[in-house]
Amino acid sequence: MGRITETVKVLIIINAICFVGTLISGDLVYRLFSLFYFENPKFQIWQPLTHMFMHGGFMHILFNMYALWAFGSPLEMRWGQKKFLFFYFSAGFGAALIHTLVNYYQIHSGYDALMAAGMDQSQIMTLLETGQYNTGILESVSKETIQTLYNNFNTPAVGASGAIYGILVAFGLMFPNIELMLIFLPVPIKAKYFIPLIIAGDVFFGITGSPFGIAHWAHIGGAIFGFIMAYYWKKNSFNSHRWN
């Protein structure tokens, strides 16, 4: 973790400008540029890209931009600008894909459960649009299933976290013995143990259901795509080939 590289600097500046824009314009920017589920009327084709520049609060963007500087700069120095950008956005798109696939499974599982319980399509659409439904359905379908269906359909994904997780995985592969520390656990841990520990936490909360409103499957998606690219490049000695 040394100097900030040029591409990382530009990405941080763009994210900061976008964050200030959301503070000024409010919900309008979030509705246009956050990543909504693709069957939601608010979904737009550009959102898989633009959601990477939206953040849900100051701490959200602060942690992401710190990680981008700390772990992204060494990768850009090793790979070069074009290769780093390709990796960054590929991991971000991969995160959006996995997040969407998990949403699709959970939404349609809930949809099928409601249909089997006797709700028709118009009643389900009313539930998705307003959150209102006949509570008698709770005799056949759990409230948690309905809430998950509603939340996944209507809650957009925001942030560069998916791309950041890809960067974390690549950093761990390229610099496995660098010692890192968690803020709440000030004990040096080598990157090859530190990064899997963080991802394991996301897998746990993704499977059990997160109480924090965090898109854990997007994090996992970014990590998966980041690992595939970084591992392939390392195995085939592409890490030494810069794309300037």
Side-chain angles (χ1 to χ4, degrees):
M1 294 182 288
R3 70 176 182 85
I4 185 171
T5 52
E6 288 303 314
T7 304
V8 168
K9 182 192 299 181
V10 171
L11 286 172
I12 291 175
I13 291 172
I14 294 173
N15 274 278
I17 291 172
C18 291
F19 182 67
V20 172
T22 61
L23 296 178
I24 295 173
S25 61
D27 290 341
L28 175 61
V29 171
Y30 279 114
R31 285 199 304 270
L32 286 174
F33 300 121
S34 301
L35 177 60
F36 283 89
Y37 178 63
F38 70 93
E39 292 178 308
N40 189 306
K42 295 178 182 178
F43 173 77
Q44 301 294 338
I45 192 65
W46 56 77
Q47 291 174 357
L49 171 64
T50 57
H51 87 283
M52 300 182 210
F53 299 98
M54 300 288 103
H55 286 86
F58 179 73
M59 296 306 296
H60 189 199
I61 189 172
L62 177 64
F63 280 115
N64 276 350
M65 294 304 100
Y66 171 78
L68 178 56
W69 160 67
F71 302 106
S73 292
L75 294 178
E76 185 184 354
M77 284 188 276
R78 177 70 65 89
W79 288 340
Q81 180 186 62
K82 294 179 181 179
K83 192 172 183 179
F84 175 78
L85 280 175
F86 175 85
F87 181 92
Y88 180 85
F89 285 110
S90 295
F93 285 128
L97 175 63
I98 298 300
H99 174 76
T100 299
L101 289 175
V102 172
N103 267 3
Y104 178 85
Y105 171 77
Q106 293 179 336
I107 287 171
H108 281 269
S109 294
Y111 188 96
D112 292 342
L114 291 176
M115 290 286 286
M119 288 184 72
D120 59 34
Q121 187 172 2
S122 63
Q123 291 173 319
I124 296 175
M125 290 309 300
T126 298
L127 185 157
L128 292 175
E129 291 170 1
T130 67
Q132 298 177 351
Y133 56 92
N134 186 334
T135 55
I137 199 69
L138 295 176
E139 295 180 3
S140 304
V141 180
S142 70
K143 187 175 183 179
E144 290 76 15
T145 297
I146 295 174
Q147 193 65 49
T148 297
L149 170 63
Y150 178 81
N151 289 343
N152 288 0
F153 188 82
N154 290 289
T155 305
V158 295
S161 301
I164 297 300
Y165 267 68
I167 286 174
L168 286 173
V169 170
F171 184 92
L173 283 173
M174 295 189 60
F175 308 101
N177 294 314
I178 295 291
E179 292 188 335
L180 307 170
M181 286 190 297
L182 293 167
I183 294 175
F184 52 84
L185 183 63
V187 178
I189 306 174
K190 290 184 177 181
K192 60 185 177 183
Y193 305 125
F194 178 90
I195 306 303
L197 179 64
I198 294 176
I199 296 172
D202 276 290
V203 172
F204 173 79
F205 286 118
I207 293 174
T208 60
S210 170
F212 309 117
I214 298 172
H216 292 286
W217 289 110
H219 295 176
I220 296 166
I224 291 172
F225 276 76
F227 175 81
I228 292 171
M229 287 184 290
Y231 180 78
Y232 180 80
W233 290 350
K234 184 177 182 179
K235 184 177 180 181
N236 291 276
S237 301
F238 284 2
N239 278 331
S240 60
H241 298 170
R242 290 173 57 87
W243 299 358
N244 292 318

